Amino acid sequence: MKSLKLISSAITMLICFVTFAQERTITGTVTDVSSAPLPGVTVYIQKTKTTAVTNYEGQYSIKAQKGDFLVFTYVGMDTQTVVVKDSNIINVILKENSSQLQEVVVTAYGVSKKRQMTAASVMIQGRVISNNQYVPSPSVTTNYESESISARNEPMYIVDGVRIKADQMAKINPNDIDDVKVLKDATATSLYGTKAANGAVVIATKNGLYKNLSEKDLDFKLNQITPIRPAEPTQEDYNAFVENAFESPKTAPLSTFSIDVDNASYTNIRRFINNGQEVPKDAVRVEEMVNFFKYTYPQPKDQHPFSINTELSYSPWNYKNQILRIGLQGKNIPTDDLPASNLVFLIDVSGSMGDANKLPLLQQSMKILVNELRAKDNVAIVVYAGAAGLVLPPTSGDEKETIIDALDALQAGGSTAGGEGIELAYKIAAENFIKGGNNRVILATDGDFNVGSSSDSDMEKLIEQKRKTGVFLTCLGYGMGNYKDSKMEILADKGNGNYAYIDNIQEANRFLGKEFKGSMFAIAKDVKIQIEFNPKQVQAYRLIGYENRKLRPEDFKNDAIDAGELGSNHTVTALYEIIPAGVSSDYLKEQPDALKYTKTETNSNNYSNELATIKFRYKKPDGDKSIEMVNVIENKWVSLEKASDDFKFSTAVAWFGLKLRDSKLIADKSPKEIVKLAKQGKSNDSEGYKAEFIRLAESAKQYN
């Protein structure tokens, strides 16, 4: 009998050993249909219930055997089951579940300080949208299938020890919430009985506002509180500006401006809309919204670094008017042919950067950029708080672990000596300057400079001085509530730079990963555009957006005047609205009489078919003398129905921006028509950004 037990024990051990030997680590990435990573997705083995959760980049790791069924669940998405076969990498794309989206309860949850989340998270239509975006907030699941919460299958809600109903839950002020716990299964029923079989959401308010209240008193108190949106950004700063008016080519024959490749305004607006907040009028820069998206302009075919493309059609918001679209396409340079980079990360580690959507997101963002670096690239890291310091000397791009360790060690605290940080960063960049290379300071901050050179004029003078060193500047903005967009815009505009607002890890991946070449490698600098409209064809014109980029006519040929840079494979789009000759318009002031001493029109018929002449000036990245290009635009238009998809979509984006600014120069402000036009132009959208814009435009209806 004893020998039989030994044999049985040996067989059991052998089976366990074989099972363990067959087990291996499965890794992969979970994304949505637009290829955006999904953090917080539950991944479990159907047989053993062994569970893993995706990280901020949608990545997971789980031990499984061949033949196991992996189940991927996410609130508002279709559950997907995949069989483990020979490969150790399983990537999954989850699709939205329309029926679940209708059933999920729309409520506002406060968050635990232990989770380092600074404000409420809002679960809207089954997708978690939080103030810091990349940190998943708690979601309620009732079993391993991640069922949606419907009226027939909802959790119990407990606030300060008092049970409340779902409709009462929605009335709680998110800013009053101190902590949230989500309990499931036996943990919930052991505390609250069978009524908590579907889970329990346990909420504690900061001051115990609802403790020991009767149901009647609780209901009365909740009804006195108006449901609010997330805290409004009362301390955020934006430069005020007046939108461009219509001008007559008789009195203003030349329109001159600098290109703008920034797109910070769009991502900032996206943040407001996703948080259910009203968009500040001065946060809307229409040109940055339009230039967030990429358009299918042809590559240049001559010696110049960009191609020029124009298209003329009718205005969707003023049917009597026309829209002229001007598009530039930067040359796409293969990564291997790009020059070596000398980069200095200038990172704000002051106390204001302590929130989860600031320094922690910043650190994750910079890691994406580090992954793009090559052995011939160098990176140094300068930080500033009460003072500025060098935390990583110039380090080769192939020493990624060293660079990432330096990033992970950063902590927030102290005041913000932004001026000292800029001085030190440019000093390090100059000492390691690569002739013919990509020399660039990358400033990452919330823009809240409050020590040293703090005024906008001081910052402008400082950055204009540093621009002369030949070092380019990229500004990355983070955070909310005290975000200083005005300072960030000045730095980028005056420092041979570009500017992006990073609202989540997906945006960091787009700007610093997928569009790394365009964001970090300039192929032309000080790019200026000057257009002369033909008075025979154009009664009046106005440049849509670019209010902060307009130049005087004499600045066009002045090489000392700074203008925007164009990156590898970058696109730039500008739109003009035109009132054709002979068209009556409510937006047009009384036209001046013919001037005695100024010839404003040509009597020749040679130019009768020309709409305008457009000129461009640019410098090579390491050049000081500008090069000029000239194109003639024919007075040749197509109907809006026959216009290109890019024309329709870019015009729809501009239309939405003008609506957000409450422009007095658009007759039709219909959200339905804006969305309709955007849908007509939604093509070449492999990354899903255009589809996202359409969702934003649709969801923003109630706030406009």
Side-chain angles (χ1 to χ4, degrees):
M1 182 66 68
K2 185 176 181 180
S3 62
L4 287 174
K5 288 182 178 180
L6 289 172
I7 293 171
S8 176
S9 177
I11 292 172
T12 301
M13 291 177 64
L14 180 61
I15 292 172
C16 291
F17 177 79
V18 171
T19 301
F20 178 78
Q22 290 177 340
E23 198 172 55
R24 64 184 195 270
T25 301
I26 305 298
T27 60
T29 303
V30 184
T31 62
D32 62 16
V33 293
S34 66
S35 300
L38 291 175
V41 175
T42 299
V43 186
Y44 69 90
I45 300 173
Q46 195 175 62
K47 179 173 63 177
T48 65
K49 305 304 182 190
T50 301
T51 304
V53 178
T54 58
N55 64 13
Y56 304 147
E57 297 177 358
Q59 300 168 342
Y60 73 92
S61 176
I62 191 169
K63 290 188 178 296
Q65 301 177 36
K66 185 174 180 179
D68 279 344
F69 289 88
L70 292 186
V71 182
F72 298 79
T73 69
Y74 191 70
V75 177
M77 297 284 194
D78 285 331
T79 297
Q80 189 170 148
T81 303
V82 180
V83 180
V84 177
K85 296 181 180 178
D86 295 326
S87 176
N88 291 335
I89 299 176
I90 299 178
N91 298 322
V92 172
I93 299 174
L94 296 184
K95 298 180 180 179
E96 289 185 349
N97 184 312
S98 57
S99 61
Q100 282 194 11
L101 294 180
Q102 293 301 316
E103 291 177 348
V104 173
V105 178
V106 181
T107 60
Y109 295 137
V111 293
S112 169
K113 293 178 181 176
K114 294 178 182 179
R115 293 180 179 268
Q116 292 185 313
M117 296 175 70
T118 59
S121 297
V122 182
M123 187 183 292
I124 300 177
Q125 291 189 327
R127 298 294 301 277
V128 175
I129 302 171
S130 65
N131 281 355
N132 56 313
Q133 298 290 323
Y134 73 101
V135 178
S137 67
S139 58
V140 182
T141 57
T142 57
N143 55 33
Y144 284 106
E145 294 293 326
S146 277
E147 294 176 3
S148 60
I149 305 167
S150 69
R152 301 179 304 278
N153 192 22
E154 69 175 28
M156 175 184 285
Y157 300 104
I158 307 292
V159 178
D160 294 334
V162 180
R163 184 182 178 187
I164 65 173
K165 300 174 183 177
D167 60 339
Q168 293 174 316
M169 173 74 181
K171 297 178 182 179
I172 294 177
N173 185 338
N175 296 324
D176 290 336
I177 296 174
D178 182 60
D179 188 52
V180 172
K181 291 184 176 64
V182 180
L183 308 179
K184 300 191 298 181
D185 304 327
T187 306
T189 55
S190 64
L191 291 174
Y192 300 106
T194 56
K195 292 183 178 180
N198 294 322
V201 179
V202 183
I203 299 170
T205 61
K206 293 175 181 177
N207 298 310
L209 297 174
Y210 308 103
K211 192 173 182 179
N212 298 325
L213 293 180
S214 66
E215 184 177 349
K216 182 178 179 180
D217 291 339
L218 177 68
D219 194 56
F220 176 80
K221 189 167 185 176
L222 287 170
N223 284 329
Q224 303 306 304
I225 301 174
T226 303
I228 66 168
R229 300 171 186 169
E232 298 294 334
T234 54
Q235 297 181 28
E236 296 190 10
D237 286 343
Y238 299 94
N239 280 330
F241 61 90
V242 178
E243 75 171 315
N244 294 326
F246 281 103
E247 298 182 273
S248 168
K250 294 180 179 179
T251 55
L254 298 173
S255 173
T256 310
F257 65 99
S258 159
I259 68 163
D260 187 1
V261 296
D262 298 341
N263 47 55
S265 180
Y266 177 77
T267 50
N268 196 24
I269 289 167
R270 180 173 66 189
R271 183 251 298 188
F272 283 116
I273 295 174
N274 280 339
N275 285 343
Q277 296 173 310
E278 183 177 352
V279 180
K281 177 179 178 180
D282 291 323
V284 181
R285 294 187 287 274
V286 176
E287 73 280 5
E288 293 187 21
M289 294 180 65
V290 171
N291 284 317
F292 176 87
F293 302 95
K294 301 304 175 189
Y295 305 103
T296 54
Y297 302 134
Q299 283 287 312
K301 296 179 180 179
D302 53 23
Q303 75 277 15
H304 297 295
F306 54 86
S307 67
I308 302 168
N309 310 274
T310 60
E311 187 174 6
L312 182 66
S313 186
Y314 282 98
S315 166
W317 56 79
N318 291 324
Y319 72 94
K320 293 181 180 180
N321 295 352
Q322 296 175 332
I323 300 293
L324 171 65
R325 182 177 64 121
I326 302 167
L328 306 185
Q329 172 64 62
K331 185 176 182 180
N332 187 14
I333 301 176
T335 302
D336 292 342
D337 296 339
L338 291 170
S341 291
N342 162 38
L343 304 179
V344 179
F345 294 173
L346 174 56
I347 300 176
D348 182 352
V349 292
S350 63
S352 67
M353 292 293 290
D355 296 341
N357 60 351
K358 293 186 180 179
L359 185 58
L361 176 58
L362 184 159
Q363 290 166 309
Q364 296 300 321
S365 303
M366 288 304 196
K367 291 176 185 178
I368 293 172
L369 177 56
V370 169
N371 286 332
E372 299 292 334
L373 300 179
R374 304 155 299 178
K376 64 181 180 180
D377 301 324
N378 287 324
V379 173
I381 299 179
V382 171
V383 298
Y384 65 92
L390 178 67
V391 299
L392 181 72
T395 302
S396 172
D398 62 355
E399 296 183 41
K400 292 179 172 50
E401 187 173 341
T402 301
I403 301 170
I404 289 173
D405 285 346
L407 288 169
D408 285 337
L410 301 180
Q411 294 182 334
S415 55
T416 45
E420 291 181 29
I422 290 172
E423 292 277 8
L424 180 57
Y426 273 91
K427 178 177 181 291
I428 299 298
E431 290 174 351
N432 297 276
F433 194 87
I434 300 174
K435 189 173 182 180
N438 176 36
N439 300 280
R440 186 176 296 267
V441 170
I442 301 173
L443 169 63
T445 176
D446 61 3
D448 193 8
F449 304 100
N450 56 22
V451 174
S453 296
S454 59
S455 72
D456 287 358
S457 59
D458 287 341
M459 277 295 162
E460 186 172 335
K461 291 175 183 176
L462 174 62
I463 209 67
E464 284 180 339
Q465 176 188 353
K466 298 303 178 185
R467 185 180 72 217
K468 298 175 184 177
T469 64
V471 176
F472 288 85
L473 176 69
T474 292
C475 296
L476 305 178
Y478 294 84
M480 62 191 69
N482 70 327
Y483 182 62
K484 308 303 179 186
D485 175 87
S486 57
K487 285 187 171 66
M488 300 292 283
E489 188 186 10
I490 286 174
L491 291 171
D493 286 358
K494 302 299 179 182
N496 268 350
N498 53 8
Y499 166 33
Y501 175 77
I502 308 298
D503 58 338
N504 54 41
I505 198 67
Q506 287 83 10
E507 178 58 21
N509 189 51
R510 183 192 73 87
F511 187 79
L512 299 173
K514 296 174 183 175
E515 298 182 9
F516 170 72
K517 292 193 297 182
S519 304
M520 296 295 152
F521 291 88
I523 59 173
K525 68 179 182 180
D526 292 342
V527 183
K528 305 171 188 174
I529 299 177
Q530 186 172 78
I531 186 167
E532 179 185 359
F533 286 100
N534 182 359
K536 283 194 170 185
Q537 306 295 344
V538 178
Q539 187 176 185
Y541 66 87
R542 76 180 189 103
L543 178 60
I544 298 174
Y546 292 92
E547 283 85 0
N548 295 336
R549 296 292 188 134
K550 293 180 74 173
L551 300 172
R552 299 172 301 175
E554 57 268 30
D555 292 339
F556 182 67
K557 291 188 176 182
N558 186 347
D559 285 347
I561 300 298
D562 178 59
E565 65 169 347
L566 185 68
S568 172
N569 208 35
H570 247 153
T571 62
V572 177
T573 299
L575 302 174
Y576 277 92
E577 184 172 6
I578 294 170
I579 301 176
V583 171
S584 61
S585 174
D586 295 334
Y587 303 111
L588 195 59
K589 296 178 181 179
E590 185 176 343
Q591 293 295 287
D593 295 330
L595 301 177
K596 180 178 179 181
Y597 298 109
T598 304
K599 185 177 181 181
T600 58
E601 285 192 48
T602 176
N603 293 321
S604 171
N605 292 323
N606 293 337
Y607 307 126
S608 59
N609 292 324
E610 294 182 6
L611 181 79
T613 296
I614 187 167
K615 298 179 181 179
F616 301 84
R617 276 188 173 262
Y618 70 92
K619 298 174 188 171
K620 294 181 179 180
D622 57 353
D624 296 320
K625 186 173 179 60
S626 62
I627 301 166
E628 185 169 303
M629 305 166 63
V630 181
N631 269 28
V632 173
I633 304 173
E634 292 184 58
N635 187 31
K636 188 176 181 180
W637 53 266
V638 295
S639 65
L640 189 56
E641 292 75 16
K642 294 182 179 180
S644 69
D645 288 348
D646 283 348
F647 184 97
K648 293 174 184 175
F649 192 84
S650 60
T651 306
V653 175
W655 193 359
F656 183 57
L658 293 171
K659 177 178 169 58
L660 290 177
R661 281 195 58 81
D662 192 26
S663 171
K664 306 306 179 187
L665 298 175
I666 58 173
D668 186 351
K669 297 184 180 182
S670 167
K672 182 178 178 181
E673 292 302 313
I674 294 173
V675 170
K676 180 181 176 182
L677 183 62
K679 287 181 176 179
Q680 291 173 1
K682 190 183 82 69
S683 61
N684 300 308
D685 190 33
S686 59
E687 302 293 339
Y689 297 122
K690 293 179 181 178
E692 179 190 50
F693 168 78
I694 292 170
R695 290 195 295 270
L696 287 177
E698 289 175 331
S699 63
K701 292 177 187 176
Q702 56 185 310
Y703 303 121
N704 288 278

PDB file of all heavy atoms in Angstrom, residues 531-543:
ATOM      1  N   ILE A 531       0.534  86.281 -50.260  1.00  0.00           N
ATOM      2  CA  ILE A 531      -0.397  86.093 -51.368  1.00  0.00           C
ATOM      3  C   ILE A 531      -0.962  87.449 -51.793  1.00  0.00           C
ATOM      4  O   ILE A 531      -1.321  88.293 -50.968  1.00  0.00           O
ATOM      5  CB  ILE A 531      -1.520  85.103 -50.982  1.00  0.00           C
ATOM      6  CG1 ILE A 531      -2.420  84.792 -52.173  1.00  0.00           C
ATOM      7  CG2 ILE A 531      -2.302  85.563 -49.778  1.00  0.00           C
ATOM      8  CD1 ILE A 531      -3.331  83.591 -51.944  1.00  0.00           C
ATOM      9  N   GLU A 532      -0.992  87.644 -53.119  1.00  0.00           N
ATOM     10  CA  GLU A 532      -1.556  88.868 -53.702  1.00  0.00           C
ATOM     11  C   GLU A 532      -2.796  88.484 -54.496  1.00  0.00           C
ATOM     12  O   GLU A 532      -2.722  87.736 -55.473  1.00  0.00           O
ATOM     13  CB  GLU A 532      -0.537  89.544 -54.620  1.00  0.00           C
ATOM     14  CG  GLU A 532      -1.072  90.808 -55.288  1.00  0.00           C
ATOM     15  CD  GLU A 532      -0.093  91.412 -56.292  1.00  0.00           C
ATOM     16  OE1 GLU A 532       1.016  90.865 -56.454  1.00  0.00           O
ATOM     17  OE2 GLU A 532      -0.447  92.433 -56.913  1.00  0.00           O
ATOM     18  N   PHE A 533      -3.954  88.972 -54.050  1.00  0.00           N
ATOM     19  CA  PHE A 533      -5.212  88.643 -54.709  1.00  0.00           C
ATOM     20  C   PHE A 533      -5.490  89.619 -55.859  1.00  0.00           C
ATOM     21  O   PHE A 533      -5.183  90.808 -55.781  1.00  0.00           O
ATOM     22  CB  PHE A 533      -6.370  88.688 -53.703  1.00  0.00           C
ATOM     23  CG  PHE A 533      -6.381  87.521 -52.757  1.00  0.00           C
ATOM     24  CD1 PHE A 533      -5.874  87.650 -51.466  1.00  0.00           C
ATOM     25  CD2 PHE A 533      -6.886  86.289 -53.147  1.00  0.00           C
ATOM     26  CE1 PHE A 533      -5.882  86.571 -50.591  1.00  0.00           C
ATOM     27  CE2 PHE A 533      -6.894  85.208 -52.283  1.00  0.00           C
ATOM     28  CZ  PHE A 533      -6.391  85.350 -50.997  1.00  0.00           C
ATOM     29  N   ASN A 534      -6.086  89.092 -56.913  1.00  0.00           N
ATOM     30  CA  ASN A 534      -6.432  89.876 -58.096  1.00  0.00           C
ATOM     31  C   ASN A 534      -7.767  90.590 -57.846  1.00  0.00           C
ATOM     32  O   ASN A 534      -8.802  89.941 -57.711  1.00  0.00           O
ATOM     33  CB  ASN A 534      -6.545  88.938 -59.299  1.00  0.00           C
ATOM     34  CG  ASN A 534      -6.865  89.675 -60.586  1.00  0.00           C
ATOM     35  OD1 ASN A 534      -7.025  90.894 -60.599  1.00  0.00           O
ATOM     36  ND2 ASN A 534      -6.968  88.926 -61.682  1.00  0.00           N
ATOM     37  N   PRO A 535      -7.782  91.944 -57.797  1.00  0.00           N
ATOM     38  CA  PRO A 535      -9.026  92.676 -57.520  1.00  0.00           C
ATOM     39  C   PRO A 535     -10.122  92.422 -58.556  1.00  0.00           C
ATOM     40  O   PRO A 535     -11.302  92.637 -58.256  1.00  0.00           O
ATOM     41  CB  PRO A 535      -8.583  94.146 -57.539  1.00  0.00           C
ATOM     42  CG  PRO A 535      -7.110  94.119 -57.357  1.00  0.00           C
ATOM     43  CD  PRO A 535      -6.639  92.847 -57.966  1.00  0.00           C
ATOM     44  N   LYS A 536      -9.751  91.986 -59.751  1.00  0.00           N
ATOM     45  CA  LYS A 536     -10.776  91.699 -60.762  1.00  0.00           C
ATOM     46  C   LYS A 536     -11.614  90.484 -60.384  1.00  0.00           C
ATOM     47  O   LYS A 536     -12.759  90.348 -60.820  1.00  0.00           O
ATOM     48  CB  LYS A 536     -10.122  91.470 -62.126  1.00  0.00           C
ATOM     49  CG  LYS A 536      -9.693  92.750 -62.818  1.00  0.00           C
ATOM     50  CD  LYS A 536      -9.391  92.479 -64.278  1.00  0.00           C
ATOM     51  CE  LYS A 536      -9.188  93.791 -65.041  1.00  0.00           C
ATOM     52  NZ  LYS A 536      -9.022  93.558 -66.490  1.00  0.00           N
ATOM     53  N   GLN A 537     -11.029  89.582 -59.591  1.00  0.00           N
ATOM     54  CA  GLN A 537     -11.725  88.355 -59.206  1.00  0.00           C
ATOM     55  C   GLN A 537     -12.134  88.342 -57.739  1.00  0.00           C
ATOM     56  O   GLN A 537     -13.085  87.657 -57.370  1.00  0.00           O
ATOM     57  CB  GLN A 537     -10.822  87.132 -59.473  1.00  0.00           C
ATOM     58  CG  GLN A 537     -10.293  87.035 -60.885  1.00  0.00           C
ATOM     59  CD  GLN A 537     -11.394  86.822 -61.906  1.00  0.00           C
ATOM     60  OE1 GLN A 537     -12.519  86.467 -61.573  1.00  0.00           O
ATOM     61  NE2 GLN A 537     -11.085  87.061 -63.174  1.00  0.00           N
ATOM     62  N   VAL A 538     -11.437  89.088 -56.931  1.00  0.00           N
ATOM     63  CA  VAL A 538     -11.643  89.031 -55.479  1.00  0.00           C
ATOM     64  C   VAL A 538     -12.066  90.397 -54.963  1.00  0.00           C
ATOM     65  O   VAL A 538     -11.324  91.376 -55.068  1.00  0.00           O
ATOM     66  CB  VAL A 538     -10.357  88.566 -54.765  1.00  0.00           C
ATOM     67  CG1 VAL A 538     -10.566  88.562 -53.251  1.00  0.00           C
ATOM     68  CG2 VAL A 538      -9.943  87.182 -55.260  1.00  0.00           C
ATOM     69  N   GLN A 539     -13.266  90.436 -54.395  1.00  0.00           N
ATOM     70  CA  GLN A 539     -13.759  91.678 -53.804  1.00  0.00           C
ATOM     71  C   GLN A 539     -13.194  91.873 -52.399  1.00  0.00           C
ATOM     72  O   GLN A 539     -12.877  92.992 -51.995  1.00  0.00           O
ATOM     73  CB  GLN A 539     -15.294  91.647 -53.759  1.00  0.00           C
ATOM     74  CG  GLN A 539     -15.925  92.947 -53.331  1.00  0.00           C
ATOM     75  CD  GLN A 539     -17.443  92.878 -53.414  1.00  0.00           C
ATOM     76  OE1 GLN A 539     -18.139  93.859 -53.192  1.00  0.00           O
ATOM     77  NE2 GLN A 539     -17.978  91.719 -53.735  1.00  0.00           N
ATOM     78  N   ALA A 540     -13.082  90.763 -51.656  1.00  0.00           N
ATOM     79  CA  ALA A 540     -12.517  90.806 -50.305  1.00  0.00           C
ATOM     80  C   ALA A 540     -12.049  89.393 -49.934  1.00  0.00           C
ATOM     81  O   ALA A 540     -12.496  88.398 -50.506  1.00  0.00           O
ATOM     82  CB  ALA A 540     -13.530  91.322 -49.297  1.00  0.00           C
ATOM     83  N   TYR A 541     -11.141  89.324 -48.977  1.00  0.00           N
ATOM     84  CA  TYR A 541     -10.605  88.035 -48.525  1.00  0.00           C
ATOM     85  C   TYR A 541     -10.343  88.112 -47.024  1.00  0.00           C
ATOM     86  O   TYR A 541     -10.204  89.197 -46.445  1.00  0.00           O
ATOM     87  CB  TYR A 541      -9.298  87.706 -49.260  1.00  0.00           C
ATOM     88  CG  TYR A 541      -8.164  88.658 -48.931  1.00  0.00           C
ATOM     89  CD1 TYR A 541      -7.328  88.431 -47.825  1.00  0.00           C
ATOM     90  CD2 TYR A 541      -7.938  89.812 -49.699  1.00  0.00           C
ATOM     91  CE1 TYR A 541      -6.314  89.314 -47.509  1.00  0.00           C
ATOM     92  CE2 TYR A 541      -6.920  90.691 -49.386  1.00  0.00           C
ATOM     93  CZ  TYR A 541      -6.109  90.447 -48.289  1.00  0.00           C
ATOM     94  OH  TYR A 541      -5.109  91.318 -47.966  1.00  0.00           O
ATOM     95  N   ARG A 542     -10.242  86.952 -46.403  1.00  0.00           N
ATOM     96  CA  ARG A 542      -9.764  86.903 -45.022  1.00  0.00           C
ATOM     97  C   ARG A 542      -9.052  85.577 -44.782  1.00  0.00           C
ATOM     98  O   ARG A 542      -9.474  84.519 -45.279  1.00  0.00           O
ATOM     99  CB  ARG A 542     -10.896  87.087 -44.008  1.00  0.00           C
ATOM    100  CG  ARG A 542     -11.797  85.886 -43.780  1.00  0.00           C
ATOM    101  CD  ARG A 542     -12.877  86.230 -42.752  1.00  0.00           C
ATOM    102  NE  ARG A 542     -13.646  85.077 -42.338  1.00  0.00           N
ATOM    103  CZ  ARG A 542     -13.487  84.444 -41.181  1.00  0.00           C
ATOM    104  NH1 ARG A 542     -12.550  84.842 -40.353  1.00  0.00           N
ATOM    105  NH2 ARG A 542     -14.235  83.394 -40.868  1.00  0.00           N
ATOM    106  N   LEU A 543      -7.954  85.638 -44.054  1.00  0.00           N
ATOM    107  CA  LEU A 543      -7.208  84.448 -43.661  1.00  0.00           C
ATOM    108  C   LEU A 543      -7.911  83.835 -42.458  1.00  0.00           C
ATOM    109  O   LEU A 543      -8.175  84.519 -41.466  1.00  0.00           O
ATOM    110  CB  LEU A 543      -5.767  84.832 -43.319  1.00  0.00           C
ATOM    111  CG  LEU A 543      -4.829  83.730 -42.826  1.00  0.00           C
ATOM    112  CD1 LEU A 543      -4.674  82.633 -43.875  1.00  0.00           C
ATOM    113  CD2 LEU A 543      -3.467  84.322 -42.450  1.00  0.00           C
TER     114      LEU A 543
END
